Amino acid sequence: MKAIQAQSLSGPEGLVYTDVETPGAGPNVVIVDVKAAGVCFPDYLMTKGEYQLKMEPPFVPGIETAGVVRSAPEGAAVKPGDRVMAFNFIGGYAERVAVGPSNVLPTPPELDDAEAVALIANYHTMYFAYARRGHLRAGETVLVLGAAGGIGTAAIQIAKGMGARVIAVVNRTAATEFVYSVGADVVLPLEEGWAKAVREATGGVGVDMVVDPIGGPAFDDAVRTLAPEGRLLVVGFAAGGIPTIKVNRLLLRNASLVGVAWGEFLRTHADYLYETQAGLAKLVTEGMRPPISARIPLSEGRQALQDFADGKVYGKMVLVP
C-alpha cells in the first residue's frame, strides 16, 4: 500500500511517499481503510524526534485517522463496514492502518471523514481540558491563545458549546475573520499591549480561564489576564519555549496553573476516551462542525506537514488517500 514514511528524523524533509507493507488482520487489531488522516503538531514533533514517544525511522507517522473498518477481532465494539475514528501513535499517513480496538470510536453520522478526524486529538484534548481539568462553567470567559490553529479552533468551539464567552488572540492577523467564523466573541492581535486589551474586553476583571497551547514569551502576560480564582490551562509549547512562573502571581490572584495532557491521561484512564467522545457527540448533535481548511492528497503529505510547520494552516488540514 501507499504511505508517507519518515525515513529520517529531519521533519517534513525526511518524509517520502512510497510503498510499505500492508497491515493484516490480527486478534488484537482493527484494520481501517483510511479515508482521512489528520495533520497535527504531535506528527510534526515525531518526525523530528522531539515527541515524548521516540520512533526510530523508518516509520509511518499519523496519530489521527477516520475511515471504514475492514476487519475487527471477535468481541470488538465495531465490525467491518462501520465508519470509525481511530487514535493511534503512528500509522495514519497511509491507505490502511492497524489500531487497537480500545482506540476506535464510531464516527458521528453528522460528520464526514475529514470532520471526524479533526475531533480526535484537538477536540478530545480540549473537552478533557474544560470538563475534567479546568471545570469550565457556563457564563465564564475564556481566553484562547493560538486561536487560529487546530487546538485553538477546538478550544473556541467547545467553550462556546459549553456556554462560555471567548476572547481569542491571534499571531497571524490575517486569520482574524476565520477565528470570528468559528465562534470567537472578541479577536485581538498578539502584539504589544495585548494583555491590557484582554482586560479591557472584560471590563477590567480579567478572564476566568486561559487556554495556552503556545507557551513562550506570551505566557507571563497570559497569567496577568487572569481574574481572581482564574485557571490557566497549559496545553503545549508550540512557540518552542517552556516558560517558568513566579508562583506569587498565582498566590495573589488565588489562581491555578493546570496541566493538560490528554494522551498521557489515557494511559492510566483508558475509558475516559469514551466519556470525552460522548460529550463531543452531544456538541456535534447541537451543530458543532470542525473547520477543515484543506483536504490534501496523501501523496502530497510531505508538503502538507511543511505548510503546517510554517504556520500556513488555519483550523485543520487532512490528508486523503
Side-chain angles (χ1 to χ4, degrees):
M1 70 174 183
K2 292 292 186 181
I4 295 289
Q5 187 180 67
Q7 298 186 347
S8 65
L9 296 178
S10 53
E13 290 183 1
L15 299 181
V16 176
Y17 182 62
T18 187
D19 290 303
V20 301
E21 184 177 354
T22 303
N28 297 310
V29 295
V30 176
I31 303 298
V32 178
D33 288 330
V34 178
K35 302 300 181 183
V39 177
C40 63
F41 196 54
D43 296 340
Y44 175 64
L45 292 178
M46 202 172 293
T47 64
K48 297 180 70 180
E50 296 176 1
Y51 194 59
Q52 55 259 41
L53 175 66
K54 306 295 185 183
M55 297 296 302
E56 291 297 324
F59 65 91
V60 176
I63 71 170
E64 307 167 311
T65 50
V68 178
V69 174
R70 173 173 285 264
S71 66
E74 185 176 352
V78 296
K79 62 183 185 303
D82 286 350
R83 293 182 64 228
V84 295
M85 306 148 47
F87 167 64
N88 213 26
F89 283 106
I90 59 170
Y93 290 10
E95 294 176 323
R96 194 176 299 171
V97 65
V99 187
S102 63
N103 288 349
V104 179
L105 299 165
T107 294
E110 299 90 347
L111 302 183
D112 66 20
D113 293 308
E115 293 168 329
V117 86
L119 285 184
I120 296 170
N122 294 334
Y123 283 74
H124 274 264
T125 294
M126 285 315 307
Y127 193 92
F128 166 68
Y130 288 144
R132 177 85 182 207
R133 301 296 294 134
H135 305 290
L136 180 63
R137 298 181 291 269
E140 291 191 311
T141 298
V142 177
L143 170 65
V144 178
L145 304 180
I151 281 286
T153 53
I156 293 168
Q157 289 193 312
I158 295 172
K160 294 298 294 182
M162 290 183 167
R165 178 176 184 243
V166 175
I167 300 173
V169 175
V170 293
N171 187 43
R172 299 170 283 178
T173 54
T176 298
E177 183 177 346
F178 167 77
V179 173
Y180 271 122
S181 76
V182 296
D185 298 287
V186 178
V187 182
L188 300 170
L190 186 66
E191 59 187 20
E192 187 174 353
W194 71 268
K196 180 181 178 182
V198 169
R199 293 193 69 86
E200 290 174 348
T202 64
V205 175
V207 299
D208 300 293
M209 187 175 293
V210 175
V211 176
D212 183 8
I214 61 175
F219 181 83
D220 283 346
D221 281 338
V223 174
R224 294 186 179 96
T225 68
L226 287 171
E229 297 189 278
R231 295 89 79 200
L232 191 153
L233 307 183
V234 179
V235 183
F237 311 106
I242 298 178
T244 58
I245 184 173
K246 294 181 178 179
V247 294
N248 64 307
R249 294 179 182 173
L250 302 178
L251 176 69
L252 295 174
R253 287 182 170 83
N254 287 294
S256 302
L257 189 64
V258 182
V260 177
W262 171 69
E264 288 301 312
F265 188 79
L266 290 181
R267 292 180 187 273
T268 53
H269 300 76
D271 287 347
Y272 194 74
L273 181 67
Y274 305 102
E275 189 170 333
T276 54
Q277 177 68 3
L280 291 172
K282 180 177 182 294
L283 294 178
V284 167
T285 299
E286 293 169 354
M288 185 181 74
R289 298 291 182 273
I292 307 302
S293 60
R295 303 170 190 242
I296 307 297
L298 178 64
S299 59
E300 299 176 21
R302 174 178 174 175
Q303 185 60 50
L305 192 61
Q306 186 63 60
D307 288 347
F308 176 89
D310 292 340
K312 296 180 180 179
V313 179
Y314 300 158
K316 189 69 174 180
M317 171 189 287
V318 301
L319 302 179
V320 180

